[in-house]
Amino acid sequence: MGAVAAGIPATPGGPAPPSPAARRARSRSASTRHRAAGREEKWLPYVLTLPILATAAVLIFVPLGLGIWVSFTDADTLSPDALTGEFTVENYTKLVSDGAFWNSVRVTVVYSVGSVLGSLVLGLLTAVVLNRAFRYRGLVRTLILLPWAVPNVVAVLVWVWMYNPQHGVLNYLLTRLPLVDTAPSWLSSPSYSMLAVIIVTVWKSYPFSTLMFLAGLQGIRHDLYEAAAIDGANGWRQFRDITLPGLRSVASVVVVLVTIWSFGEFTFIFLMTEGGPAGATETLVLNMYQRAFRFFDASYAFAVGMVLLLLAVAITAVYARITRVRW
Amino acid sequence: MTKTLTRTSATATALTPVPAGVHRLARLCRAAGLFLLIVALVLIAIFPIYWMLVTSVQPSTSLFSWPPRLVPSDGVSLGAYTEMLTSSGLLGWVGTSIRVSLATASISVVAASLAAYALSRFSFRGSKATEIGMLATQMFPGILLALPMYLVFLRLGLVDDVNGLTLAYLAFIVPVSATLLKGFFDSIPKDLEEASLIDGTSRMGAFFRVTLPLSAPGLAATFLFAFIVSWNEYLFARILVRSAENWTISLGIASYIGEYVTPWDQIMAGAVLVTLPVAAMFLFLQRYLLQGLTAGAVKG
Amino acid sequence: MGHAELRDLTRVFGDVVAVDHVDLSMADGEFVVLVGPSGCGKTTTLRMIAGLETVSSGQILIDGSDVTNAPPRARDIAMVFQSYALYPHMTVARNLSYHLRLRRRPKHEINERVQRIAAALDIEALLDRRPAQLSGGQRQRVALGRAIIREPTLFLMDEPLSNLDAKLRVQTRAEIVALQRRLGVTTVYVTHDQTEAMTMGSKIVVMKDGRVQQIDSPARVYSDPANTFVAQFIGSPAMNLVQVELVPDGDPVRLRSPGGWSVDVPEPLAGRLRATAPERALVMGVRPEDLHLASDPDSGGLPFEVVVIENLGHEVLIDGTVGEHGPRAVVRAGTGLLDRLRPGDRIQVRPDWPRVRFFSANDGSAVVLDQHGLRQRDEVTVR
Ligand SMILES: Nc1ncnc2c1ncn2[C@@H]1O[C@H](COP(=O)(O)OP(=O)(O)OP(=O)(O)O)[C@@H](O)[C@H]1O
Ligand SMILES: [Mg+2]
């Protein structure tokens, strides 16, 4: 670059540079012209977020507010008339002694705990295996993550077909196993339907846990294992003393997210059992839906919805707490 | 990982002298165990998908044969596919779904990218609240939104209307899209925009000339994400759409469930057809999605 | 072409005062270096000049017009970022021409200027590449080219050399100086490296905790630091500082150390010191090259105990303490001493008295000796 000094004339050729006076005039007018632009940064972010905030206000907060309002009326059908119902707190007092409601609470908890546990265990196992080096690991990882890519409705269809009591491949495979001679009619049996629904939920959701745990495993520093190995820890001790503690925060995020999703789940249960048989899989979401559309008790449905909302807020608070610590 | 394993075994050897043969045997057992575990995990993941494919090409005569044909040993038939494509409503549902998903994805990307840029680059009054609010919309059950939205849409005449459905999807897809895009914008150095400001653009000029071109992969990922979510959605469609001519793909193929006679080969053929495109997008996206979904939660 | 002025410039982040009432004027064609330890507010000052950071209070004038609230594009400045900030999605040629294209210059003029700059910076072969395909040094050149192609009123550079390896840094340092001389564009250059500041600047601004400590030519900053901070920050190894007490009534005038030793001050310095107030706590500052080994123990030097001897090849640094357990000090000497000296030796070092500086022991600010005796120096900016 020694050439630079020689190579660039002080006053370059081409168009003559503007005179100093002209230049001053230009930059002065520019500065007054842009006096407001200095404040551009102040209003710009509000303008940019306005569309999304307006959308959220109209499409999320207004409906949520209406829902709260309707839960305090005596409206029965889900129609615009519901908004003009009489004020009453009867829906909430009714909840307390409603066996079906309490059944739904219980079913929701069982369904969520089952889904979370299944997806946690399967996800962790898969992640630990995938974190090892072996041939075709990339291919195996893609295959294992495939369920995530299947649309929910399709997953339901496939599993309903596999659960088919007469022609389903699942019962065929089960009876081929040693020691198993039951061939349950999965979806119509009060004792198996919950398991059937949980299996599908876990099958769809565990790849998410796997990916989260994989990321978590990759975040654990390698030298910790080497130090432990030098200290004489075997594989299992290393897993217990280093891997598990290292995954604690990821695990809590997974637990909270899967809990929230299973709380709000509609498609799997509705399409497989509609909450039946005899309420065996009727979660709060299903209970709310059935009350609104089958039993024409809209205001009561929304009261159930408020319970759901409170639970969701509680879980969200937990989630915010967990992730805030990490941020 | 392998390195650690070798290191472990080396240490073990050092501590307790074991004959080399025993050592090799142990390693072989471990390798075999791992292999079986991998096979089991892969089977769990893909058997249902495999079964969907096998059923869809089964001649309908062997559909209900017992024992079930685990491989299509009675020959392969594409009859179910032609049946599905010609004499079912599938193509119509696909058309509706494409319309809804395209509109949702396009509008989402535009609205979300503006908001995401503001949240990524400015700290302004309410920015933190907006960000938290966007995450919070993902947290409560969809039915809490869907039912009251049904009331509002009844009044507005948007029930059983493809545009109404699009609007409903926007309500919950735009916030996630913005969260995803904010992650992408955050990863683009601020310096570049500042260089552009100095080179003579305005803020928005820098956004359009520097930030947007650099986030093309992120925009594409967000678009596909929004597309897939609307393509797969069932609950809102179920509540907001009534007549069969407005059915989306989810409503259409779900309508076979509970039919008295169920043509499983055709249903599975339909399932394969609607899964293929989104599955391809999904696999392409998984890397980006995880980034956005975990939003820094996993770091460290 | 370009003169600029900062008036009482302040920037506050929450409860951190990043830049604290800075006054600075830059004459046309000057090469101003902002130097100081990490976090002292150099970058913030530069970014306020660029218009990338809002100003809490104070004014910025460029060519006489107030640009305090103007956006960057209205200031006619060019900037070289520490990270270079080359647009990754544009080729080198398009990076260079970005500003000209925004200004809608005619195509032939753009091409001609890109070619000329590329030739001058020896990056013609790289014009079609993307920044990702360049080495660090090449990127640095492109960043420089993107700034000079604009022919701006003011160049701003934020540690543009810190990502280069040591050898390239020294080379590029000289090239930037030559380029700046040639173009005559007023330049503000930020660095935390005092060697860069000394070798490049025509004016050095030393900052600490957001405040300006001294504004002077490199030579003056080195020979007459405004306070003990500047004395220690500029120069490597740093200026030796020793606490002393002035005993003016004796004859000869003496400096007494809390460590027990004392030293006589020769004329004419002694005469001036005598004229001052009685006892006074001072810090005496001597550069390592202004301390000479005294062969004769009674020659009126400071007692010095050798701790480490570092041979740098062309010279020797003798690291030791002044007096027993006294303050550390470094002496610069020729390599001829190597056989005669070893750690543990107790010797005498004689300061080059005319070059000795004194600072107040209270606040560290420089005190200047003149015919009236001791006086606070006031010709430098001290806040
Ligand atoms: N955007 C900001 N928000 C809050 N504090 C800031 C911000 N930018 C700078 N600071 C603070 O202002 C002070 C000065 O920072 P500045 O970047 O100007 O230092 P610097 O002299 O350039 O240091 P370095 O040599 O490390 O680059 C620091 O204490 C820094 O933490
Ligand atoms: Mg800096």
Side-chain angles (χ1 to χ4, degrees), chain A residues 96-126:
Chain A
V96 181
S97 55
D98 179 357
F101 166 73
W102 288 109
N103 174 60
S104 288
V105 172
R106 192 187 55 79
V107 168
T108 305
V109 170
V110 172
Y111 174 69
S112 293
V113 169
S115 307
V116 169
L117 277 185
S119 130
L120 205 65
V121 170
L122 200 51
L124 182 60
L125 184 64
T126 320

Side-chain angles (χ1 to χ4, degrees), chain B residues 45-172:
Chain B
I46 66 167
F47 183 77
I49 299 168
Y50 169 77
W51 194 237
M52 167 169 82
L53 284 167
V54 168
T55 308
S56 74
V57 297
Q58 205 88 264
S60 40
T61 44
S62 26
L63 205 52
F64 297 118
S65 53
W66 195 265
R69 305 280 184 266
L70 286 182
V71 290
S73 49
D74 299 341
V76 168
S77 147
L78 293 179
Y81 286 89
T82 38
E83 189 68 19
M84 224 28 207
L85 287 172
T86 51
S87 51
S88 78
L90 186 77
L91 288 180
W93 308 329
V94 167
T96 309
S97 273
I98 287 182
R99 223 180 111 190
V100 173
S101 305
L102 270 186
T104 308
S106 320
I107 300 173
S108 291
V109 166
V110 173
S113 65
L114 297 180
Y117 182 67
L119 291 171
S120 167
R121 291 298 192 252
F122 301 91
S123 84
F124 53 100
R125 194 188 301 229
S127 60
K128 204 73 210 164
T130 308
E131 209 175 311
I132 291 172
M134 288 188 331
L135 276 178
T137 58
Q138 305 311 302
M139 292 302 180
F140 50 80
I143 195 162
L144 283 181
L145 207 54
L147 281 191
M149 210 181 249
Y150 173 72
L151 285 183
V152 176
F153 280 19
L154 269 180
R155 163 134 307 159
L156 299 176
L158 287 171
V159 168
D160 206 11
D161 179 334
V162 173
N163 295 326
L165 190 61
T166 306
L167 204 58
Y169 287 175
L170 285 175
F172 61 89

Side-chain angles (χ1 to χ4, degrees), chain C residues 97-111:
Chain C
S97 62
Y98 185 60
H99 168 78
L100 300 174
R101 283 184 285 127
L102 287 173
R103 283 279 140 98
R104 299 188 193 292
R105 311 300 311 179
K107 238 199 184 89
H108 64 88
E109 182 200 331
I110 295 179
N111 285 338

Side-chain angles (χ1 to χ4, degrees), chain A residues 1-10 12-15 17 20 23-24 26-28 30-31 34-35 37-40 42, chain C residues 1 63 65-67 69-71 73-74 76 105 109 116-117 120-121 141 144 148 151-153 172 175-176 178-179 182-183:
Chain A
M1 188 161 97
V4 170
I8 301 174
R23 196 173 201 146
R24 249 195 308 280
R26 188 185 74 199
S27 70
R28 195 165 26 237
S31 105
H34 293 296
R35 187 53 54 83
R39 268 176 269 145
E40 173 184 82
K42 291 246 158 42
Chain C
M1 219 165 137
D63 266 351
S65 64
D66 183 350
V67 295
N69 294 310
R73 64 180 182 277
D76 197 23
R105 311 300 311 179
E109 182 200 331
R116 186 152 42 84
I117 296 290
L121 292 173
R141 266 153 207 263
L144 211 54
I148 60 184
E151 295 155 17
T153 313
T172 315
E175 286 167 359
I176 290 181
L179 185 63
R182 183 80 198 149
L183 298 174

Side-chain angles (χ1 to χ4, degrees), chain A:
Chain A
M1 188 161 97
V4 170
I8 301 174
T11 311
S19 72
R23 196 173 201 146
R24 249 195 308 280
R26 188 185 74 199
S27 70
R28 195 165 26 237
S29 78
S31 105
T32 35
R33 185 152 38 86
H34 293 296
R35 187 53 54 83
R39 268 176 269 145
E40 173 184 82
E41 314 267 307
K42 291 246 158 42
W43 51 258
L44 188 59
Y46 295 102
V47 173
L48 294 179
T49 37
L50 194 64
I52 201 175
L53 290 179
T55 317
V58 174
L59 293 175
I60 293 182
F61 294 109
V62 167
L64 272 185
L66 286 181
I68 295 174
W69 165 243
V70 172
S71 77
F72 285 103
T73 67
D74 61 356
D76 43 19
T77 56
L78 201 59
S79 71
D81 299 341
L83 300 176
T84 55
E86 289 285 316
F87 176 85
T88 170
V89 293
E90 202 182 305
N91 292 314
Y92 289 93
T93 51
K94 230 164 48 178
L95 273 183
V96 181
S97 55
D98 179 357
F101 166 73
W102 288 109
N103 174 60
S104 288
V105 172
R106 192 187 55 79
V107 168
T108 305
V109 170
V110 172
Y111 174 69
S112 293
V113 169
S115 307
V116 169
L117 277 185
S119 130
L120 205 65
V121 170
L122 200 51
L124 182 60
L125 184 64
T126 320
V128 169
V129 169
L130 284 179
N131 199 37
R132 307 203 150 198
F134 54 87
R135 222 184 321 175
Y136 303 124
R137 181 169 67 162
L139 175 68
V140 169
R141 183 170 50 207
T142 306
L143 290 179
I144 285 184
L145 296 180
L146 267 183
W148 207 24
V150 174
N152 284 351
V153 176
V154 169
V156 169
L157 285 167
V158 175
W159 279 92
V160 167
W161 170 224
M162 297 205 313
Y163 282 141
N164 188 301
Q166 284 94 45
H167 311 288
V169 68
L170 201 65
N171 278 351
Y172 168 72
L173 291 175
L174 276 181
T175 49
R176 293 278 303 266
L177 289 178
L179 304 175
V180 181
D181 50 0
T182 49
S185 53
W186 289 92
L187 295 172
S188 48
S189 132
S191 36
Y192 282 99
S193 54
M194 175 56 88
L195 181 61
V197 172
I198 288 178
I199 287 176
V200 180
T201 311
V202 169
W203 185 76
K204 268 293 294 173
S205 65
Y206 84 89
F208 168 76
S209 318
T210 302
L211 282 182
M212 294 282 285
F213 280 126
L214 259 182
L217 285 173
Q218 272 143 25
I220 299 177
R221 282 180 28 222
H222 218 274
D223 49 2
L224 290 180
Y225 290 102
E226 295 175 350
I230 287 166
D231 285 341
N234 61 20
W236 167 246
R237 288 295 304 232
Q238 287 182 23
F239 181 75
R240 215 188 65 186
D241 296 341
I242 299 170
T243 312
L244 282 186
L247 289 178
R248 212 164 48 201
S249 60
V250 179
S252 44
V253 172
V254 170
V255 167
V256 175
L257 285 179
V258 178
T259 306
I260 282 176
W261 292 335
S262 55
F263 246 71
E265 183 50 49
F266 175 80
T267 312
F268 295 139
I269 305 175
F270 180 76
L271 288 177
M272 282 196 272
T273 65
E274 292 195 43
T281 57
E282 190 178 271
T283 59
L284 283 167
V285 169
L286 265 290
N287 183 288
M288 183 176 172
Y289 180 87
Q290 303 288 25
R291 288 203 184 279
F293 286 107
R294 183 177 293 175
F295 303 119
F296 302 109
D297 199 350
S299 57
Y300 191 58
F302 280 111
V304 173
M306 289 313 118
V307 175
L308 208 51
L309 181 62
L310 286 183
L311 288 172
V313 167
I315 302 174
T316 306
V318 172
Y319 180 71
R321 212 191 164 88
I322 294 171
T323 49
R324 185 78 50 81
V325 174
R326 308 247 69 228
W327 281 336

